[in-house]
């Protein structure tokens, strides 16, 4: 895409018309950057996606309390994921974040992080269900779609910023990190069903107890309203999901 097309995209993103009085203040450098983000959002490759997540992984690990190998949580997780160094084309790496929150996440680069609060509340097979569910989000393309959405948002904000207005300055300061945009946003019901179906197949393929899918979701349902469960805020309707999987297992 040439420079003219990129600026056109950025102009559309910012809502600025070529005949607008603010056009004279338009920052072409910011416009070009915004247009590039719009293009990137639509054409991001798996390799580029993994590079983004590699950076996010380093940042999150540096900001978190990572359990060392000698820690009881780390030893337990290592034991429960024996044989899972690779799965369905992903090279997986596991760590425990020592925090009372009930949560876990996976990224397209194979990063899987399990919170100690989840391990306190769940059995080994229930934790494995959560791991399978998170891998399901990656393999179903949900992570890639979220990264594209994050880049689109970035392009829109940079487009506003290019007008050199107060709104543009505010948009610049509001730019969140990729972890918040891609990992911590709430999943849709259809995304949840896809990830649950994947998790159920994962449990059966690995010869784990598939009933753990149901009991894990029932535990999450019982925790509704508990602020310690970040997983509930990003993965809605555990009660309905438990009923759905129970019917599949009947």
């Amino acid at each position: 895409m040439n420079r003219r097309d990129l600026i056109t995209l950025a102009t559309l993103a910012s809502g600025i018309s070529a005949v607008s009085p603010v056009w004279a203040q338009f920052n072409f450098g910011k416009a070009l950057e915004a247009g590039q983000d719009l293009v990137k959002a639509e054409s991001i490759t798996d390799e580029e996606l993994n590079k983004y997540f590699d950076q996010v992984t380093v940042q999150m690990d540096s900001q978190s309390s990572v359990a060392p190998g000698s820690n009881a949580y780390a030893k337990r997780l290592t034991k429960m994921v024996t044989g899972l160094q690779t799965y369905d084309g992903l090279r997986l790496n596991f760590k425990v974040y020592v925090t009372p929150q009930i949560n876990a996440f996976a990224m397209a680069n194979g990063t899987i992080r399990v919170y100690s609060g989840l391990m306190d509340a769940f059995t080994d097979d229930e934790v494995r269900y959560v791991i399978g569910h998170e891998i399901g989000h990656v393999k179903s393309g949900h992570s890639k779609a979220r990264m594209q959405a994050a880049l689109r948002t970035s392009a829109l904000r940079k487009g506003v910023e290019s007008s050199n207005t107060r709104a543009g300055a505010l948009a610049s300061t509001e730019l969140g990190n990729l972890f918040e945009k891609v990992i911590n946003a709430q999943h849709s019901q259809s995304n949840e069903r896809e990830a649950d179906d994947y998790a159920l197949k994962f449990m059966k393929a690995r010869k784990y107890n598939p009933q753990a899918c149901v009991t894990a979701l029932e535990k999450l349902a019982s925790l509704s309203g508990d602020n310690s469960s970040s997983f509930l805020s990003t993965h809605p309707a555990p009660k309905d999901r438990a009923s759905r999987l129970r019917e599949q297992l009947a």
Side-chain angles (χ1 to χ4, degrees):
M1 180 172 287
N2 59 37
R3 177 185 175 90
R4 181 177 180 179
D5 290 338
L6 285 172
I7 293 175
T8 299
L9 279 172
T11 304
L12 292 173
S14 65
I16 297 173
S17 167
V19 296
S20 168
V22 300
W23 179 255
Q25 302 177 25
F26 199 76
N27 183 320
F28 279 88
K30 292 293 185 183
L32 186 61
E33 189 177 357
Q36 289 171 333
D37 273 3
L38 280 170
V39 173
K40 178 66 70 177
E42 304 308 322
S43 61
I44 186 170
T45 66
D46 289 342
E47 182 179 2
E48 289 169 330
L49 184 70
N50 288 341
K51 287 181 180 178
Y52 279 118
F53 283 126
D54 285 344
Q55 296 174 45
V56 175
T57 298
V58 171
Q59 181 179 359
M60 289 306 302
D61 284 354
S62 69
Q63 295 176 350
S64 303
S65 177
V66 178
S70 59
N71 180 277
Y73 287 114
K75 289 181 177 179
R76 180 185 166 198
L77 182 62
T78 297
K79 185 177 180 179
M80 75 172 69
V81 299
T82 298
L84 267 182
Q85 286 70 33
T86 59
Y87 187 80
D88 200 3
L90 289 176
R91 183 178 294 277
L92 304 175
N93 71 89
F94 297 87
K95 288 183 181 179
V96 178
Y97 286 173
V98 181
T99 169
Q101 289 187 335
I102 297 175
N103 207 358
F105 64 86
M107 292 190 281
N109 63 345
T111 292
I112 295 181
R113 299 294 180 260
V114 179
Y115 292 27
S116 61
L118 181 80
M119 298 178 71
D120 287 337
F122 282 12
T123 67
D124 286 2
D125 276 342
E126 288 169 347
V127 173
R128 288 166 175 147
Y129 151 72
V130 173
I131 290 172
H133 179 94
E134 293 305 304
I135 294 174
H137 280 306
V138 170
K139 296 301 295 185
S140 297
H142 305 157
S143 296
K144 185 172 184 176
R146 286 184 170 203
M147 181 65 78
Q148 289 174 316
L151 288 170
R152 289 190 199 102
T153 301
S154 173
L156 289 170
R157 289 179 174 175
K158 286 175 183 174
V160 173
E161 186 180 1
S162 67
S163 67
N164 291 327
T165 63
R166 285 186 62 190
L170 180 63
S172 178
T173 62
E174 287 179 340
L175 290 174
N177 63 49
L178 290 178
F179 180 82
E180 294 298 328
K181 292 178 178 296
V182 181
I183 303 297
N184 281 351
Q186 190 178 75
H187 290 281
S188 68
Q189 290 185 7
S190 61
N191 284 175
E192 290 297 80
R193 286 193 293 270
E194 282 186 82
D196 278 341
D197 289 344
Y198 184 96
L200 188 57
K201 293 177 182 177
F202 166 82
M203 297 293 283
K204 291 178 177 179
R206 294 290 305 170
K207 296 186 176 5
Y208 302 142
N209 180 10
Q211 290 292 338
C213 301
V214 176
T215 56
L217 287 167
E218 288 175 337
K219 283 184 180 180
L220 285 172
S222 70
L223 291 169
S224 295
D226 184 345
N227 291 331
S228 69
S229 179
S230 299
F231 199 83
L232 280 171
S233 65
T234 56
H235 297 72
K239 184 177 180 179
D240 294 340
R241 290 161 53 204
S243 298
R244 178 174 172 271
L245 291 182
R246 189 185 301 107
E247 289 177 1
Q248 292 186 38
L249 288 168

